[in-house]
Amino acid sequence: QVQLVESGGGLVQPGGSLRLSCAASGSILSINTMGWYRQALGKQRELVAAITSDGNTNYADSVKGRFTISRDNDKNMVYLQMNSLKPDDTAVYYCNVNFRRFWRREEYWGQGTQVTVSS
């Protein structure tokens, strides 16, 4: 049905940068919200950033000014540029898409990509 595949995670030093990518495929309505969530060890999954199909964005306070979410609607891609990374950013990052098909809400997740910020 719908598939999301993340890439770009890895090990980076504090202060460094990473760019995460998510490729979406399948029957996804053009009006949707795509976002990045993360889950650190022993913590709940939290919203990092989200972007609607018309370009409205929302960021967690902890990443404002450091992370930038963007999307390419034609390519069904969403990106997360992460700058000034901190050890607290270490987590598994998940790509998400949600939308309404008629009156039914649909939500899909990627498999996650590990981001580790450490010296």
Side-chain angles (χ1 to χ4, degrees), residues 11 15 17 24-26 32-33 38-40 47 58 62 64 74 79 81 83 93-94 97 105 108-109:
L11 175 64
S17 298
S25 62
N32 62 67
T33 298
R38 67 186 181 188
Q39 187 167 22
L47 173 69
N58 183 51
S62 60
K64 286 180 180 176
D74 293 334
Y79 309 92
Q81 178 66 46
N83 299 325
Y93 284 70
Y94 298 90
V97 61
R105 183 175 183 269
Y108 301 92
W109 295 88

Side-chain angles (χ1 to χ4, degrees), residues 33-38 46-52 56-71 78-82 93-98 109:
T33 298
M34 299 188 75
W36 290 94
Y37 292 72
R38 67 186 181 188
E46 63 175 342
L47 173 69
V48 178
I51 184 167
T52 65
N56 292 325
T57 59
N58 183 51
Y59 295 92
D61 288 340
S62 60
V63 307
K64 286 180 180 176
R66 300 189 297 121
F67 292 9
T68 302
I69 189 170
S70 61
R71 63 187 290 164
V78 63
Y79 309 92
L80 185 68
Q81 178 66 46
M82 304 186 294
Y93 284 70
Y94 298 90
C95 181
N96 169 274
V97 61
N98 69 86
W109 295 88

